[in-house]
Amino acid sequence: GALAPAASCIFYVSFDPTTEGVKSARITIASDAANAASANSVDLIGTGTAVSVPRGRLSSTALGFGNTLFISTAQSQTITLTSVGTAPLDVNSISILGDFTQTNNCPSSLVVNASCNIIISFTPRGLGSRTSALRVNTNMASPLNDVTVGGTSCRWFSVPGSRTISTLC
């Protein structure tokens, strides 16, 4: 549109770079004014910088403990949590339920490229198939996937009149 003599208008410019580094541009406003060539251009310059983002990675998405005797403890297994983002990964909580327990050496915050270990144990307190999920809560925008864990509880039995002892899973 046309701008009346001695009138002004305001326009806004935003800078949203998609890559890092120095960026430049020029805004030119078309005009029929006598001094349009020098008065209607503005040079812009800005620097794109990386945004720090916490990200984590778990070394596995599932653990299987196989067959384990009732009220015995299976061989422990380890999951590694690694900070793979560009900002520290805050570890808010680590949990697992049911016949599974966890211990860990994870600090409250993992610096970039640091790792910690989560050790899972299985001690069945009931017979049959047992499942749970290891949940690690962090400061990531999207939650880490849970690690599915499972095992089967077995029991000893003997056939009457026989000296053979077997397991039933």
PDB file of all heavy atoms in Angstrom, residues 40-68:
ATOM      1  N   ASN A  40      16.060   2.773   1.681  1.00  0.00           N
ATOM      2  CA  ASN A  40      15.097   1.695   1.852  1.00  0.00           C
ATOM      3  C   ASN A  40      15.702   0.309   1.987  1.00  0.00           C
ATOM      4  O   ASN A  40      15.035  -0.674   1.737  1.00  0.00           O
ATOM      5  CB  ASN A  40      14.108   1.706   0.682  1.00  0.00           C
ATOM      6  CG  ASN A  40      13.307   2.984   0.661  1.00  0.00           C
ATOM      7  OD1 ASN A  40      13.015   3.545   1.711  1.00  0.00           O
ATOM      8  ND2 ASN A  40      12.972   3.458  -0.514  1.00  0.00           N
ATOM      9  N   SER A  41      16.951   0.213   2.408  1.00  0.00           N
ATOM     10  CA  SER A  41      17.577  -1.089   2.633  1.00  0.00           C
ATOM     11  C   SER A  41      18.163  -1.140   4.039  1.00  0.00           C
ATOM     12  O   SER A  41      18.684  -0.146   4.547  1.00  0.00           O
ATOM     13  CB  SER A  41      18.702  -1.331   1.631  1.00  0.00           C
ATOM     14  OG  SER A  41      18.180  -1.480   0.339  1.00  0.00           O
ATOM     15  N   VAL A  42      18.061  -2.293   4.653  1.00  0.00           N
ATOM     16  CA  VAL A  42      18.633  -2.513   5.981  1.00  0.00           C
ATOM     17  C   VAL A  42      19.402  -3.833   5.923  1.00  0.00           C
ATOM     18  O   VAL A  42      18.863  -4.857   5.496  1.00  0.00           O
ATOM     19  CB  VAL A  42      17.531  -2.605   7.061  1.00  0.00           C
ATOM     20  CG1 VAL A  42      18.135  -2.907   8.422  1.00  0.00           C
ATOM     21  CG2 VAL A  42      16.695  -1.348   7.093  1.00  0.00           C
ATOM     22  N   ASP A  43      20.678  -3.781   6.328  1.00  0.00           N
ATOM     23  CA  ASP A  43      21.477  -5.008   6.399  1.00  0.00           C
ATOM     24  C   ASP A  43      21.265  -5.664   7.754  1.00  0.00           C
ATOM     25  O   ASP A  43      21.245  -4.993   8.794  1.00  0.00           O
ATOM     26  CB  ASP A  43      22.957  -4.694   6.195  1.00  0.00           C
ATOM     27  CG  ASP A  43      23.266  -4.295   4.763  1.00  0.00           C
ATOM     28  OD1 ASP A  43      22.618  -4.850   3.858  1.00  0.00           O
ATOM     29  OD2 ASP A  43      24.143  -3.429   4.562  1.00  0.00           O
ATOM     30  N   LEU A  44      21.104  -6.988   7.758  1.00  0.00           N
ATOM     31  CA  LEU A  44      20.879  -7.766   8.980  1.00  0.00           C
ATOM     32  C   LEU A  44      22.008  -8.768   9.145  1.00  0.00           C
ATOM     33  O   LEU A  44      22.504  -9.321   8.163  1.00  0.00           O
ATOM     34  CB  LEU A  44      19.546  -8.510   8.901  1.00  0.00           C
ATOM     35  CG  LEU A  44      18.309  -7.672   8.600  1.00  0.00           C
ATOM     36  CD1 LEU A  44      17.121  -8.578   8.356  1.00  0.00           C
ATOM     37  CD2 LEU A  44      18.037  -6.711   9.744  1.00  0.00           C
ATOM     38  N   ILE A  45      22.400  -9.018  10.376  1.00  0.00           N
ATOM     39  CA  ILE A  45      23.413 -10.034  10.644  1.00  0.00           C
ATOM     40  C   ILE A  45      23.090 -10.685  11.986  1.00  0.00           C
ATOM     41  O   ILE A  45      22.598 -10.026  12.907  1.00  0.00           O
ATOM     42  CB  ILE A  45      24.837  -9.432  10.624  1.00  0.00           C
ATOM     43  CG1 ILE A  45      25.867 -10.539  10.649  1.00  0.00           C
ATOM     44  CG2 ILE A  45      25.039  -8.460  11.767  1.00  0.00           C
ATOM     45  CD1 ILE A  45      27.261 -10.077  10.253  1.00  0.00           C
ATOM     46  N   GLY A  46      23.313 -11.978  12.071  1.00  0.00           N
ATOM     47  CA  GLY A  46      23.070 -12.719  13.309  1.00  0.00           C
ATOM     48  C   GLY A  46      23.902 -13.980  13.310  1.00  0.00           C
ATOM     49  O   GLY A  46      24.449 -14.391  12.283  1.00  0.00           O
ATOM     50  N   THR A  47      24.010 -14.596  14.460  1.00  0.00           N
ATOM     51  CA  THR A  47      24.781 -15.832  14.581  1.00  0.00           C
ATOM     52  C   THR A  47      23.875 -16.924  15.142  1.00  0.00           C
ATOM     53  O   THR A  47      23.288 -16.762  16.220  1.00  0.00           O
ATOM     54  CB  THR A  47      25.995 -15.631  15.509  1.00  0.00           C
ATOM     55  OG1 THR A  47      26.797 -14.569  14.986  1.00  0.00           O
ATOM     56  CG2 THR A  47      26.827 -16.909  15.596  1.00  0.00           C
ATOM     57  N   GLY A  48      23.775 -18.025  14.414  1.00  0.00           N
ATOM     58  CA  GLY A  48      23.022 -19.183  14.881  1.00  0.00           C
ATOM     59  C   GLY A  48      23.880 -20.012  15.808  1.00  0.00           C
ATOM     60  O   GLY A  48      25.028 -20.314  15.499  1.00  0.00           O
ATOM     61  N   THR A  49      23.344 -20.339  16.975  1.00  0.00           N
ATOM     62  CA  THR A  49      24.076 -21.171  17.930  1.00  0.00           C
ATOM     63  C   THR A  49      23.253 -22.410  18.258  1.00  0.00           C
ATOM     64  O   THR A  49      22.025 -22.394  18.185  1.00  0.00           O
ATOM     65  CB  THR A  49      24.372 -20.395  19.232  1.00  0.00           C
ATOM     66  OG1 THR A  49      23.133 -19.940  19.775  1.00  0.00           O
ATOM     67  CG2 THR A  49      25.276 -19.208  18.981  1.00  0.00           C
ATOM     68  N   ALA A  50      23.939 -23.463  18.615  1.00  0.00           N
ATOM     69  CA  ALA A  50      23.269 -24.715  18.954  1.00  0.00           C
ATOM     70  C   ALA A  50      22.541 -24.568  20.287  1.00  0.00           C
ATOM     71  O   ALA A  50      23.025 -23.917  21.204  1.00  0.00           O
ATOM     72  CB  ALA A  50      24.281 -25.845  19.042  1.00  0.00           C
ATOM     73  N   VAL A  51      21.379 -25.161  20.370  1.00  0.00           N
ATOM     74  CA  VAL A  51      20.614 -25.182  21.602  1.00  0.00           C
ATOM     75  C   VAL A  51      21.026 -26.437  22.367  1.00  0.00           C
ATOM     76  O   VAL A  51      21.093 -27.533  21.802  1.00  0.00           O
ATOM     77  CB  VAL A  51      19.100 -25.211  21.296  1.00  0.00           C
ATOM     78  CG1 VAL A  51      18.287 -25.336  22.571  1.00  0.00           C
ATOM     79  CG2 VAL A  51      18.697 -23.973  20.517  1.00  0.00           C
ATOM     80  N   SER A  52      21.319 -26.273  23.635  1.00  0.00           N
ATOM     81  CA  SER A  52      21.696 -27.423  24.454  1.00  0.00           C
ATOM     82  C   SER A  52      20.460 -28.260  24.763  1.00  0.00           C
ATOM     83  O   SER A  52      19.461 -27.737  25.252  1.00  0.00           O
ATOM     84  CB  SER A  52      22.349 -26.956  25.751  1.00  0.00           C
ATOM     85  OG  SER A  52      23.559 -26.306  25.453  1.00  0.00           O
ATOM     86  N   VAL A  53      20.544 -29.544  24.441  1.00  0.00           N
ATOM     87  CA  VAL A  53      19.407 -30.445  24.621  1.00  0.00           C
ATOM     88  C   VAL A  53      19.878 -31.701  25.346  1.00  0.00           C
ATOM     89  O   VAL A  53      20.804 -32.379  24.885  1.00  0.00           O
ATOM     90  CB  VAL A  53      18.794 -30.841  23.252  1.00  0.00           C
ATOM     91  CG1 VAL A  53      17.656 -31.815  23.436  1.00  0.00           C
ATOM     92  CG2 VAL A  53      18.348 -29.612  22.491  1.00  0.00           C
ATOM     93  N   PRO A  54      19.254 -32.040  26.490  1.00  0.00           N
ATOM     94  CA  PRO A  54      19.603 -33.291  27.151  1.00  0.00           C
ATOM     95  C   PRO A  54      18.978 -34.474  26.422  1.00  0.00           C
ATOM     96  O   PRO A  54      17.817 -34.413  26.015  1.00  0.00           O
ATOM     97  CB  PRO A  54      19.009 -33.127  28.551  1.00  0.00           C
ATOM     98  CG  PRO A  54      17.894 -32.144  28.384  1.00  0.00           C
ATOM     99  CD  PRO A  54      18.283 -31.262  27.232  1.00  0.00           C
ATOM    100  N   ARG A  55      19.758 -35.521  26.212  1.00  0.00           N
ATOM    101  CA  ARG A  55      19.253 -36.763  25.607  1.00  0.00           C
ATOM    102  C   ARG A  55      19.953 -37.931  26.278  1.00  0.00           C
ATOM    103  O   ARG A  55      21.130 -37.837  26.621  1.00  0.00           O
ATOM    104  CB  ARG A  55      19.539 -36.805  24.101  1.00  0.00           C
ATOM    105  CG  ARG A  55      18.607 -35.895  23.307  1.00  0.00           C
ATOM    106  CD  ARG A  55      18.712 -36.086  21.797  1.00  0.00           C
ATOM    107  NE  ARG A  55      18.643 -37.477  21.408  1.00  0.00           N
ATOM    108  CZ  ARG A  55      19.539 -38.065  20.588  1.00  0.00           C
ATOM    109  NH1 ARG A  55      20.530 -37.389  20.071  1.00  0.00           N
ATOM    110  NH2 ARG A  55      19.418 -39.327  20.271  1.00  0.00           N
ATOM    111  N   GLY A  56      19.249 -39.011  26.433  1.00  0.00           N
ATOM    112  CA  GLY A  56      19.819 -40.206  27.028  1.00  0.00           C
ATOM    113  C   GLY A  56      19.550 -41.421  26.175  1.00  0.00           C
ATOM    114  O   GLY A  56      18.634 -41.425  25.352  1.00  0.00           O
ATOM    115  N   ARG A  57      20.370 -42.445  26.374  1.00  0.00           N
ATOM    116  CA  ARG A  57      20.194 -43.697  25.643  1.00  0.00           C
ATOM    117  C   ARG A  57      20.432 -44.849  26.613  1.00  0.00           C
ATOM    118  O   ARG A  57      21.388 -44.832  27.384  1.00  0.00           O
ATOM    119  CB  ARG A  57      21.162 -43.776  24.476  1.00  0.00           C
ATOM    120  CG  ARG A  57      21.015 -45.078  23.674  1.00  0.00           C
ATOM    121  CD  ARG A  57      21.933 -45.156  22.458  1.00  0.00           C
ATOM    122  NE  ARG A  57      23.322 -45.052  22.859  1.00  0.00           N
ATOM    123  CZ  ARG A  57      24.207 -44.208  22.324  1.00  0.00           C
ATOM    124  NH1 ARG A  57      23.847 -43.395  21.366  1.00  0.00           N
ATOM    125  NH2 ARG A  57      25.449 -44.181  22.749  1.00  0.00           N
ATOM    126  N   LEU A  58      19.542 -45.842  26.553  1.00  0.00           N
ATOM    127  CA  LEU A  58      19.697 -47.062  27.336  1.00  0.00           C
ATOM    128  C   LEU A  58      20.288 -48.136  26.440  1.00  0.00           C
ATOM    129  O   LEU A  58      19.966 -48.214  25.259  1.00  0.00           O
ATOM    130  CB  LEU A  58      18.345 -47.509  27.898  1.00  0.00           C
ATOM    131  CG  LEU A  58      17.748 -46.568  28.940  1.00  0.00           C
ATOM    132  CD1 LEU A  58      16.286 -46.886  29.194  1.00  0.00           C
ATOM    133  CD2 LEU A  58      18.537 -46.661  30.241  1.00  0.00           C
ATOM    134  N   SER A  59      21.149 -48.974  27.004  1.00  0.00           N
ATOM    135  CA  SER A  59      21.871 -49.963  26.204  1.00  0.00           C
ATOM    136  C   SER A  59      20.996 -51.104  25.695  1.00  0.00           C
ATOM    137  O   SER A  59      21.412 -51.841  24.801  1.00  0.00           O
ATOM    138  CB  SER A  59      23.042 -50.529  27.003  1.00  0.00           C
ATOM    139  OG  SER A  59      22.569 -51.167  28.189  1.00  0.00           O
ATOM    140  N   SER A  60      19.806 -51.255  26.222  1.00  0.00           N
ATOM    141  CA  SER A  60      18.922 -52.335  25.785  1.00  0.00           C
ATOM    142  C   SER A  60      17.473 -51.913  25.993  1.00  0.00           C
ATOM    143  O   SER A  60      17.184 -51.050  26.817  1.00  0.00           O
ATOM    144  CB  SER A  60      19.216 -53.608  26.585  1.00  0.00           C
ATOM    145  OG  SER A  60      18.393 -54.662  26.159  1.00  0.00           O
ATOM    146  N   THR A  61      16.571 -52.549  25.244  1.00  0.00           N
ATOM    147  CA  THR A  61      15.144 -52.283  25.417  1.00  0.00           C
ATOM    148  C   THR A  61      14.429 -53.436  26.119  1.00  0.00           C
ATOM    149  O   THR A  61      13.259 -53.313  26.464  1.00  0.00           O
ATOM    150  CB  THR A  61      14.466 -52.032  24.059  1.00  0.00           C
ATOM    151  OG1 THR A  61      14.659 -53.187  23.226  1.00  0.00           O
ATOM    152  CG2 THR A  61      15.039 -50.803  23.384  1.00  0.00           C
ATOM    153  N   ALA A  62      15.129 -54.565  26.314  1.00  0.00           N
ATOM    154  CA  ALA A  62      14.512 -55.723  26.962  1.00  0.00           C
ATOM    155  C   ALA A  62      15.581 -56.597  27.606  1.00  0.00           C
ATOM    156  O   ALA A  62      16.703 -56.697  27.105  1.00  0.00           O
ATOM    157  CB  ALA A  62      13.716 -56.539  25.947  1.00  0.00           C
ATOM    158  N   LEU A  63      15.209 -57.217  28.722  1.00  0.00           N
ATOM    159  CA  LEU A  63      16.068 -58.187  29.400  1.00  0.00           C
ATOM    160  C   LEU A  63      15.254 -59.440  29.679  1.00  0.00           C
ATOM    161  O   LEU A  63      14.114 -59.350  30.132  1.00  0.00           O
ATOM    162  CB  LEU A  63      16.583 -57.648  30.744  1.00  0.00           C
ATOM    163  CG  LEU A  63      17.541 -56.476  30.741  1.00  0.00           C
ATOM    164  CD1 LEU A  63      17.864 -56.078  32.177  1.00  0.00           C
ATOM    165  CD2 LEU A  63      18.802 -56.817  29.988  1.00  0.00           C
ATOM    166  N   GLY A  64      15.849 -60.604  29.438  1.00  0.00           N
ATOM    167  CA  GLY A  64      15.200 -61.867  29.746  1.00  0.00           C
ATOM    168  C   GLY A  64      16.027 -62.639  30.753  1.00  0.00           C
ATOM    169  O   GLY A  64      17.229 -62.821  30.567  1.00  0.00           O
ATOM    170  N   PHE A  65      15.395 -63.077  31.837  1.00  0.00           N
ATOM    171  CA  PHE A  65      16.100 -63.815  32.883  1.00  0.00           C
ATOM    172  C   PHE A  65      15.909 -65.320  32.771  1.00  0.00           C
ATOM    173  O   PHE A  65      16.501 -66.072  33.527  1.00  0.00           O
ATOM    174  CB  PHE A  65      15.644 -63.328  34.265  1.00  0.00           C
ATOM    175  CG  PHE A  65      16.223 -61.996  34.621  1.00  0.00           C
ATOM    176  CD1 PHE A  65      15.571 -60.829  34.276  1.00  0.00           C
ATOM    177  CD2 PHE A  65      17.433 -61.912  35.287  1.00  0.00           C
ATOM    178  CE1 PHE A  65      16.114 -59.596  34.599  1.00  0.00           C
ATOM    179  CE2 PHE A  65      17.976 -60.684  35.617  1.00  0.00           C
ATOM    180  CZ  PHE A  65      17.319 -59.518  35.266  1.00  0.00           C
ATOM    181  N   GLY A  66      15.100 -65.774  31.829  1.00  0.00           N
ATOM    182  CA  GLY A  66      14.911 -67.213  31.634  1.00  0.00           C
ATOM    183  C   GLY A  66      14.230 -67.857  32.825  1.00  0.00           C
ATOM    184  O   GLY A  66      13.474 -67.229  33.556  1.00  0.00           O
ATOM    185  N   ASN A  67      14.534 -69.153  33.032  1.00  0.00           N
ATOM    186  CA  ASN A  67      13.943 -69.920  34.126  1.00  0.00           C
ATOM    187  C   ASN A  67      14.776 -69.754  35.393  1.00  0.00           C
ATOM    188  O   ASN A  67      15.993 -69.906  35.372  1.00  0.00           O
ATOM    189  CB  ASN A  67      13.877 -71.400  33.759  1.00  0.00           C
ATOM    190  CG  ASN A  67      12.959 -71.651  32.579  1.00  0.00           C
ATOM    191  OD1 ASN A  67      12.016 -70.892  32.355  1.00  0.00           O
ATOM    192  ND2 ASN A  67      13.222 -72.697  31.829  1.00  0.00           N
ATOM    193  N   THR A  68      14.090 -69.461  36.499  1.00  0.00           N
ATOM    194  CA  THR A  68      14.750 -69.262  37.795  1.00  0.00           C
ATOM    195  C   THR A  68      13.931 -69.972  38.859  1.00  0.00           C
ATOM    196  O   THR A  68      12.699 -69.888  38.872  1.00  0.00           O
ATOM    197  CB  THR A  68      14.833 -67.752  38.131  1.00  0.00           C
ATOM    198  OG1 THR A  68      15.545 -67.103  37.080  1.00  0.00           O
ATOM    199  CG2 THR A  68      15.541 -67.516  39.440  1.00  0.00           C
TER     200      THR A  68
END
